[in-house]
Amino acid sequence: MSPRHAACDVIPHPRAEVASGQQSLRDRYQGVRAATLELCRPLATEDYVIQTMTDVSPTKWHLAHTTWFFETFVLVPALDDYRPFHEQYRYLFNSYYNAVGPQFIRANRGVLSRPTVAEIREYRAHVDMQMDRLFETRPERCAEHHDVIEIGLHHEQQHQELVLTDIKHVFSQNPLLPAYHERALGSGSAAELQWHTRDEGVYRIGASPSGFSYDNERQRHRVFLDAFALASRLVTNAEYLEFVRDGGYSRPALWLSDGWNEVQRSGWTAPLYWFERDGCWSEFTLSGPEALRPELPVTHVSYFEADAYARWRGQRLPTEAEWEVFAADSPIAGNFVESGRFHPQAAGSATDAVGSPQQLYGDVWEWTASAYLPYPGYSPPTGALGEYNGKFMSNQMVLRGGSCATPRDHVRATYRNFFYPTARWQFSGIRLAAGV
Amino acid sequence: MSPRHAACDVIPHPRAEVASGQQSLRDRYQGVRAATLELCRPLATEDYVIQTMTDVSPTKWHLAHTTWFFETFVLVPALDDYRPFHEQYRYLFNSYYNAVGPQFIRANRGVLSRPTVAEIREYRAHVDMQMDRLFETRPERCAEHHDVIEIGLHHEQQHQELVLTDIKHVFSQNPLLPAYHERALGSGSAAELQWHTRDEGVYRIGASPSGFSYDNERQRHRVFLDAFALASRLVTNAEYLEFVRDGGYSRPALWLSDGWNEVQRSGWTAPLYWFERDGCWSEFTLSGPEALRPELPVTHVSYFEADAYARWRGQRLPTEAEWEVFAADSPIAGNFVESGRFHPQAAGSATDAVGSPQQLYGDVWEWTASAYLPYPGYSPPTGALGEYNGKFMSNQMVLRGGSCATPRDHVRATYRNFFYPTARWQFSGIRLAAGV
Amino acid sequence: MSPRHAACDVIPHPRAEVASGQQSLRDRYQGVRAATLELCRPLATEDYVIQTMTDVSPTKWHLAHTTWFFETFVLVPALDDYRPFHEQYRYLFNSYYNAVGPQFIRANRGVLSRPTVAEIREYRAHVDMQMDRLFETRPERCAEHHDVIEIGLHHEQQHQELVLTDIKHVFSQNPLLPAYHERALGSGSAAELQWHTRDEGVYRIGASPSGFSYDNERQRHRVFLDAFALASRLVTNAEYLEFVRDGGYSRPALWLSDGWNEVQRSGWTAPLYWFERDGCWSEFTLSGPEALRPELPVTHVSYFEADAYARWRGQRLPTEAEWEVFAADSPIAGNFVESGRFHPQAAGSATDAVGSPQQLYGDVWEWTASAYLPYPGYSPPTGALGEYNGKFMSNQMVLRGGSCATPRDHVRATYRNFFYPTARWQFSGIRLAAGV
Amino acid sequence: MSPRHAACDVIPHPRAEVASGQQSLRDRYQGVRAATLELCRPLATEDYVIQTMTDVSPTKWHLAHTTWFFETFVLVPALDDYRPFHEQYRYLFNSYYNAVGPQFIRANRGVLSRPTVAEIREYRAHVDMQMDRLFETRPERCAEHHDVIEIGLHHEQQHQELVLTDIKHVFSQNPLLPAYHERALGSGSAAELQWHTRDEGVYRIGASPSGFSYDNERQRHRVFLDAFALASRLVTNAEYLEFVRDGGYSRPALWLSDGWNEVQRSGWTAPLYWFERDGCWSEFTLSGPEALRPELPVTHVSYFEADAYARWRGQRLPTEAEWEVFAADSPIAGNFVESGRFHPQAAGSATDAVGSPQQLYGDVWEWTASAYLPYPGYSPPTGALGEYNGKFMSNQMVLRGGSCATPRDHVRATYRNFFYPTARWQFSGIRLAAGV
């Protein structure tokens, strides 16, 4: 590391230390960018091109879009002499930033054979080189744009997760059922379900000003909670299978009305990647099709399924505030993308669960009963990055805790993920809650 | 009133007095049922048949469905010898109660010429006669089913509102633009906008066990609110027109993402019934097309429009808790269906607004920033009536306060109405809120 | 009849005698117009309003549109002082004449409660009175517009057929399955199937200049035909049922590709109005549901079904030229609308079939293997009436011979009806042909 | 060439000599197969994967499907020991042969990243090797299956054309507008339009039994034609531009009704690949975007546009019989795929047009006024190959003469191509006809 580069990070910045820990921003940039490419290593060129539904983007689009983010929001404003790599990329790789300009139609991302994967790798290399020039030669500009670079890295980590969940969907739609990697799912048995309680009272949730957080986690505020209980671990495949076998998917009384409509419209009879042959259930994983393991957490369920399951059990989903109250007291540890499993694993023995719920972080995103709405006093940043989170605050539900496809340093207790209640292609699962 | 009839109501029931005031339940039944027919008086036979979109039902369907409700949930269980009027009505006029059985497809209600209006009026007369027999001869059964009858009356009042809003939509789609009635819109000017504030603290909202309420208003519970301010009156046409003229419908930065998609998909450029010719704006009303009155409250806007308008003003919509805190202190008075106006009217002079906001009740339903979700400890009733409210608790937003099409004794401070954020055919409008 | 009225028809016109036989045009006008109303007699007001699919128009729309035709194409040009009955009817009741102006969206005809049935009857009375004034006072104008009046009467007869087939569809979509009239279907057995042949050679088909014909029947021209055979009668329900029971609807090899797609898309398993309960087949008729009569001609089949049936039998459908060669030699007699049956009847005993096929006219329209295309030298009339037939000459198939809903004096050997190959709501059936 | 191989072709077969000229079937097989790969040479791996609309297939699908054809219809029946290359290819690469089994959904061909291009090339190599084994070692089997091999080669030639037209569509949907190859369009001017006439009479059309033909060209039969005239050359861009500039796309009177609906639904304002900037027209070609050349034949027009253009000129399209009468007298020469232009070229000077129309073959497929229907006495082959042509005989129009993407030895005077009247992505153009 050169002295000039180091210069960048000695510029004092209140958030820098917290956000990047011991690592310099430059190191962190290089690490995150390399990790994205690493996830693509098992793919054939053809795999990078496919879009199986509007929610899914081709892998090469992810590679380009995350690069476009740094080009557009960092290099262009920070380097006076910076010339965009290609004039049409501004349009092609803009996801949804109206303030930047028009966007290529999302549903059509899979019709673009060009730029090729090789060209997009060149684009990445070009931007990385320029970012490096910025880190090395312009510490003051680097400091000015520190927060946006930080957002860009978190943004890229979100897309790392999508690279995995999107390619899983792509492979699942192919009758050949290709595997992304060869890996055993692991074994074990799930700990017994227990309940952890909290008393009624006024609690504080949301991100404090120090440390990195997205705008939607702020501001920290008070909420009143009635006394409640949270399950000690995630719902397992075995437990969910009981629901399936009890006719869960054919009893409208268990479902929200919109959920029941979706069950009928889409013909849902089980979680997204489950399939049944001769009475035996399997699930499609990133290692290909596998016999359903009873002890593993159920995943790839929609909010509507999570809600119906909870109702069938006579319980409910936690609110995001209830979840956060427990998570704030728990260390950020679990089965993250770094494990290389790319699949949730069984809750360990009860011993490590003394005092606090297991699996709060990693494994699967946990659907909450909370609609994704602004916190009191919320205001988005000005400019294009104001479109990052705020404009999606309708019709979506909050999920918490990260998944087996999430980088460990990407999540925190206050992190709010959000998806439509019909979405199933993420590693999304269920933790129960109840009144006391 | 016969002594036998009176007998029904002397059975002591804790809620009866509160719910029906001085009126006996039998009187109230007759009053509500007659009011429905009274609203149909201006209609031609052909008008009863039309369905212009899935949300809209033909008038004769409303007449039959509300009757079906009493037949299914009161007469069949309460009168052992009761025989349904027509065996297929159970299917034809079931709206969405899966527990009762399958339902005729909602979107196809407008393809049914039979039963004719005359036949449906016979159906009503038959059920009314049987209900009267119940009131008169079976006081004990009447008492047992008191709560369901009460719900049936509130249910019918909801459909009275729909009779008006649905026929308004029907007429609006006809190039002849027929008028439902001939009536001047009234005149006046809107009071100046002021702000009413409340301090931060723990408040109680939701319905107490005494008095009639729907399940979704219960249970009464505590919420923590930051200090906030509520506008003294509704947003006017003049104020909303400023938003329109400022390019409100062509600036994505003002909209939630789903709202902006809807603007583009549906080509929205103004509230539902506004239209512009040569720079002059008019709106279609139940009295036919009228020049837009600047002082009247804007109505027939979606949640997305309400939200965009508030953002453009630099403010926001109130949460339902904020709204209820004020409404709980205000008398239930305003421009309701009984006024016969069937259109919102201008906020009066400021004098009557001393100390509390105007127009909290009546005029237009007020969109809140709250998603329609269960209150803490919510549990729906068992049986088919459990489907009345609870199963709609996703993807919808709460509206408060009733409208010019709502019967006065139908609303209360805790009343939670709910519609999808794209819905515009109700008398829905905007009240602003802000932090302090 | 007044002398002045008579005057109108003494104006010599080459076609008048042929077209209207002994009847004056005025008499014929009155007869046709009265017949339309007569067909509406069994209907309730609500029945006039319904549109169950885009192809179907509400009865009151037919009443108004046929009136609009005379107003627009006769009264306005012929009477200098004529003022249209209502300024918006030009728009509301224009079916598809772009030369007249824009049209109210066809698929939305069922959302119009107004004008009411009573108002449309007034409109008819007004136009009839004005037509009568024309007949009586302006013989020269009457003569000038003779051909258009004649077209208007044939046009109205086409809509008489639609009044019946459309209301049949409306009633069929109602779970109450209302009957249009009470009438037994008749009895009997179908004559044995025989074959009539013709030698190869050059034949002439198409309408000669004398007598009324539509533009699409002209000009008369030569075609070369290989030797062929035509079945002596229509395919019966019994015969078609064999096809159904032989798995006809589940064997793609029997179907044209587009037909097979439609079978799957629409879930066809039998003709439109057939339904099966416990192995017994019934069909919905204008007299309500009836047990399927084996001897009656199959009806309400699409071209794709007719074609698949013929393929299954190892035969084919006739071309329109083949059909016309036989029909030109047959008297125009059969089961027409005047019978009041409104349903096809069985082919009589073989005795009346000596020398020529039975049921060529009436009973059901017979699908031919001919696409609806212009005859050699075809040119449509100038002006709006050029849109009557010519612009539909793509994607449709020709049907011949009229049906049980067709007025007897409406059809002729050269008459070309046309529908999309998926259409089933007309009285359409099957006659087989074969090479020899 | 080995003696054994030669043995295959000495088996006397009446059609062999005509179909393949001097070339042995084995040579022809190798030539056709190599030509397909040659057309793919300019493509990047990513280009092989894309499907931009249901009509378009990914290039790699074409490579696999044509191989599947030989595997399924030749190798499996002809070689007892043949084992399919991959068990799921039977399903994945079956286009529409219900007799072979179910097919992967056509509209989803673009979601398959696997098998990769390399794997499909292996598949081709495997099948080619096995075919070579068949040619070399099993002359008698080879002879038995001669006709199917011949069909397989013609089939592959059809897909060669689709490789070009599909990739053109793929590139056209990409804002980067990639070029397939770099090549000047050529220059010149179009010959003056003249008319060639024929007298009325009975003509023979259709394929005679000798020589290769598809089933749909048979049997040869007589038709009566009125006297007619055929234009000496194709309609040019300059001529078509007059139609565009005369408001052709906004005048419903010029269009068939279904065509006008399509104009409005799809927003057509010019041929498929034309675009206009600042009043200048360009067209997208396989060499990328180019300024519109006035002298070149107009291409990528639908039947509806061809028909509307002809109507606007006061003329009409020829019937397929009229076209064939002239084509039967013309040598099969023109601008075919072998020219490497992949774009139509201008009609040469009038000198080469003495006595017969120019451009009958090659350049663009010529829309005829004839619906695609069976010829008299038509019967498809038994078995799966009966699905090749016959089942498409509804809703499509006949095109004649081949295009600049057609191999020269693939077309003939009797060749009947067919597409839906809305199709525009083929090299389809216009020749005028008229009565005399």
Side-chain angles (χ1 to χ4, degrees), chain B residues 41 66 92 118 126 204 246 256 293 295 310 361 392 405 427 435:
Chain B
R41 213 163 34 83
T66 48
L92 281 178
H126 170 84
R204 282 186 190 270
D246 194 37
L256 287 165
R293 293 281 183 83
E295 76 277 12
Y361 294 106
F392 301 108
F427 287 100

Side-chain angles (χ1 to χ4, degrees), chain A residues 311 314-316, chain B residues 214-219 374-382 385-387 389-391 393 416:
Chain A
R311 185 170 293 111
Q315 285 142 10
R316 62 171 174 84
Chain B
Y214 283 127
D215 57 358
N216 63 8
E217 302 167 51
R218 299 190 294 262
Q219 52 196 24
Y375 281 168
Y378 170 72
S379 74
T382 54
L385 287 180
E387 299 186 56
N389 279 309
K391 73 180 182 183
M393 289 176 174
R416 306 174 81 197

Side-chain angles (χ1 to χ4, degrees), chain B residues 359-408:
Chain B
Q359 299 179 306
L360 281 169
Y361 294 106
D363 287 316
V364 296
W365 287 100
E366 303 178 23
W367 285 109
T368 73
S370 299
Y372 178 53
L373 292 171
Y375 281 168
Y378 170 72
S379 74
T382 54
L385 287 180
E387 299 186 56
Y388 197 103
N389 279 309
K391 73 180 182 183
F392 301 108
M393 289 176 174
S394 65
N395 291 326
Q396 309 209 35
M397 301 303 290
V398 173
L399 303 96
R400 294 298 196 109
S403 82
C404 57
T406 312
R408 180 182 182 153

Side-chain angles (χ1 to χ4, degrees), chain D residues 31-328:
Chain D
V32 168
R33 295 284 286 172
T36 306
L37 292 182
E38 180 62 20
L39 288 175
C40 299
R41 215 164 32 84
L43 302 183
T45 301
E46 292 87 339
D47 298 330
Y48 287 80
V49 181
I50 309 293
Q51 179 176 43
T52 41
M53 62 173 177
T54 300
D55 283 336
V56 162
S57 296
T59 311
K60 74 186 176 91
W61 188 90
H62 289 299
L63 294 183
H65 166 68
T66 48
T67 303
W68 168 94
F69 193 99
F70 287 109
E71 180 176 69
T72 305
F73 296 124
V74 180
L75 293 178
V76 167
L79 293 177
D80 300 333
D81 62 346
Y82 183 78
R83 301 260 312 263
F85 183 75
H86 190 294
E87 57 173 15
Q88 288 199 265
Y89 287 9
R90 180 184 179 86
Y91 165 66
L92 281 179
F93 300 121
N94 180 359
S95 53
Y96 54 65
Y97 296 88
N98 294 308
V100 172
Q103 304 112 43
F104 186 70
I105 296 166
R106 176 171 189 149
N108 289 5
R109 288 176 187 165
V111 309
L112 302 177
S113 60
R114 315 287 180 93
T116 62
V117 174
E119 287 164 341
I120 287 173
R121 285 176 180 273
E122 275 179 62
Y123 179 38
R124 286 184 74 88
H126 170 85
V127 164
D128 287 350
M129 202 179 60
Q130 297 291 314
M131 284 294 295
D132 212 54
R133 182 162 71 95
L134 178 70
F135 285 125
E136 196 155 328
T137 66
R138 307 294 302 272
E140 77 297 350
R141 283 294 172 92
C142 193
E144 266 170 45
H145 294 279
H146 177 279
D147 287 10
V148 176
I149 297 171
E150 192 66 64
I151 289 176
L153 294 174
H154 280 273
H155 172 257
E156 181 135 357
Q157 289 183 312
Q158 288 185 276
H159 281 275
Q160 287 168 6
E161 180 149 1
L162 290 170
V163 163
L164 289 170
T165 53
D166 287 2
I167 204 70
K168 184 170 181 178
H169 194 264
V170 166
F171 285 163
S172 78
Q173 299 298 297
N174 190 322
L176 302 174
L177 292 178
Y180 167 83
H181 69 162
E182 302 294 338
R183 167 127 191 187
L185 288 191
S187 64
S189 60
E192 202 185 339
L193 185 71
Q194 297 175 328
W195 293 91
H196 299 270
T197 59
R198 280 289 188 279
D199 292 335
E200 71 171 38
V202 172
Y203 291 87
R204 281 185 191 269
I205 66 166
S208 59
S210 69
F212 178 81
S213 62
Y214 283 127
D215 58 358
N216 63 7
E217 302 167 51
R218 301 189 295 261
Q219 51 193 21
R220 192 157 171 83
H221 63 285
R222 284 162 287 178
V223 294
F224 183 90
L225 297 182
D226 289 311
F228 70 100
L230 201 69
S232 59
R233 60 157 173 76
L234 298 168
V235 171
T236 64
N237 283 334
E239 288 161 347
Y240 196 85
L241 190 56
E242 293 176 49
F243 168 73
V244 173
R245 291 191 165 144
D246 194 37
Y249 284 85
S250 53
R251 292 164 55 185
L254 297 172
W255 297 78
L256 287 165
S257 179
D258 286 350
W260 182 242
N261 289 343
E262 189 66 25
V263 166
Q264 296 185 290
R265 201 177 65 81
S266 301
W268 289 351
T269 59
L272 175 55
Y273 294 126
W274 286 26
F275 56 99
E276 187 251 343
R277 216 163 283 159
D278 306 325
C280 291
W281 286 93
S282 299
E283 77 177 310
F284 180 72
T285 76
L286 280 167
S287 307
E290 299 275 354
L292 193 72
R293 293 280 183 83
E295 76 277 12
L296 298 185
V298 68
T299 186
H300 297 297
V301 291
S302 64
Y303 171 77
F304 288 128
E305 287 161 298
D307 170 83
Y309 174 83
R311 186 170 293 111
W312 174 77
R313 282 282 178 208
Q315 285 143 11
R316 61 171 175 85
L317 301 178
T319 64
E320 61 172 325
E322 290 170 340
W323 187 93
E324 188 170 327
V325 163
F326 274 102

Side-chain angles (χ1 to χ4, degrees), chain A residues 90-158:
Chain A
R90 180 185 180 86
Y91 165 66
L92 281 178
F93 299 121
N94 179 358
S95 52
Y96 54 65
Y97 296 88
N98 294 308
V100 173
Q103 303 112 44
F104 186 69
I105 296 166
R106 177 173 187 148
N108 288 5
R109 287 177 188 164
V111 308
L112 302 178
S113 59
R114 314 288 180 92
T116 63
V117 174
E119 287 163 341
I120 287 172
R121 285 176 180 273
E122 276 179 62
Y123 178 37
R124 286 184 75 87
H126 171 84
V127 164
D128 288 349
M129 200 179 61
Q130 296 292 313
M131 283 294 294
D132 212 55
R133 182 162 71 96
L134 178 70
F135 285 125
E136 193 154 331
T137 66
R138 307 294 301 271
E140 77 297 350
R141 282 295 171 92
C142 193
E144 267 170 46
H145 293 278
H146 177 278
D147 287 10
V148 176
I149 296 170
E150 192 66 63
I151 289 177
L153 293 175
H154 282 272
H155 172 257
E156 182 134 358
Q157 288 183 312
Q158 289 185 274

Side-chain angles (χ1 to χ4, degrees), chain C residues 106-281:
Chain C
R106 178 173 185 145
N108 289 4
R109 287 177 188 164
V111 308
L112 302 178
S113 59
R114 315 289 180 91
T116 62
V117 174
E119 287 164 341
I120 286 173
R121 286 177 180 272
E122 274 178 62
Y123 178 38
R124 285 184 75 88
H126 170 85
V127 163
D128 288 349
M129 201 179 61
Q130 296 290 315
M131 284 294 293
D132 212 55
R133 182 161 72 96
L134 178 70
F135 285 125
E136 194 156 328
T137 65
R138 307 295 300 271
E140 77 296 350
R141 283 293 172 91
C142 193
E144 268 170 44
H145 294 277
H146 177 279
D147 286 10
V148 177
I149 296 170
E150 193 66 63
I151 289 175
L153 293 175
H154 281 272
H155 172 257
E156 181 134 359
Q157 288 184 311
Q158 289 184 275
H159 282 275
Q160 287 168 7
E161 180 149 1
L162 289 170
V163 162
L164 288 170
T165 53
D166 287 2
I167 204 71
K168 184 170 181 177
H169 194 264
V170 166
F171 285 164
S172 78
Q173 299 298 296
N174 190 322
L176 303 175
L177 292 179
Y180 167 81
H181 70 161
E182 303 294 340
R183 168 132 190 181
L185 288 191
S187 64
S189 61
E192 202 186 340
L193 185 70
Q194 297 176 326
W195 293 92
H196 298 270
T197 58
R198 281 288 188 277
D199 292 335
E200 72 171 40
V202 172
Y203 290 86
R204 281 185 191 270
I205 65 165
S208 59
S210 70
F212 177 81
S213 63
Y214 283 127
D215 57 358
N216 63 7
E217 302 167 50
R218 300 189 295 261
Q219 52 196 23
R220 193 157 172 83
H221 63 285
R222 283 162 288 178
V223 294
F224 183 88
L225 297 182
D226 288 311
F228 70 100
L230 201 69
S232 60
R233 60 156 173 76
L234 298 168
V235 170
T236 64
N237 283 333
E239 289 162 345
Y240 197 85
L241 190 55
E242 293 176 47
F243 168 73
V244 173
R245 292 191 165 144
D246 194 39
Y249 284 85
S250 53
R251 293 164 54 186
L254 298 173
W255 296 79
L256 288 165
S257 179
D258 286 350
W260 181 243
N261 289 343
E262 189 66 26
V263 166
Q264 297 185 289
R265 202 178 63 82
S266 299
W268 288 351
T269 59
L272 175 57
Y273 294 127
W274 287 25
F275 55 100
E276 186 252 344
R277 218 164 281 159
D278 306 325
C280 291
W281 286 93

